[in-house]
Amino acid sequence: MGTMAKKINMLLIETDITKQELAKRLGTTPSNISGKLKRDNFSEAELQEIAKACGATFEGYFIITDTGKQI
């Protein structure tokens, strides 16, 4: 399981939401969610949707190490 999939699983545990409930909230199937978690294959838009479905926010950005600037 990849890094983002681990974070999503942690989010589900923290918010007490099952994968089945997440699938329902996203209008998809539990098997689709499980497959995406196994492949660790999420677009930023999907991560935003997952966050919203869990009552959270997702902030994806790069930070330039030398300057600390966020992109």
Side-chain angles (χ1 to χ4, degrees):
M1 185 178 305
T3 303
M4 193 53 66
K6 287 180 184 178
K7 289 181 182 182
I8 291 168
N9 279 313
M10 290 171 51
L11 174 65
L12 294 176
I13 290 167
E14 188 70 27
T15 57
D16 198 28
I17 296 172
T18 64
K19 291 175 190 168
Q20 291 78 13
E21 178 62 24
L22 177 63
K24 182 179 175 182
R25 292 180 185 193
L26 295 175
T28 190
T29 63
S31 61
N32 185 36
I33 294 294
S34 292
K36 290 186 81 60
L37 286 168
K38 285 179 186 172
R39 293 186 305 274
D40 198 27
N41 180 23
F42 298 93
S43 68
E44 186 168 350
E46 290 170 322
L47 294 170
Q48 295 286 354
E49 290 174 15
I50 290 168
K52 185 177 178 182
C54 293
T57 58
F58 174 76
E59 297 178 0
Y61 48 83
F62 298 99
I63 301 174
I64 298 173
T65 305
D66 292 345
T67 63
K69 181 178 179 181
Q70 294 182 7
I71 300 174

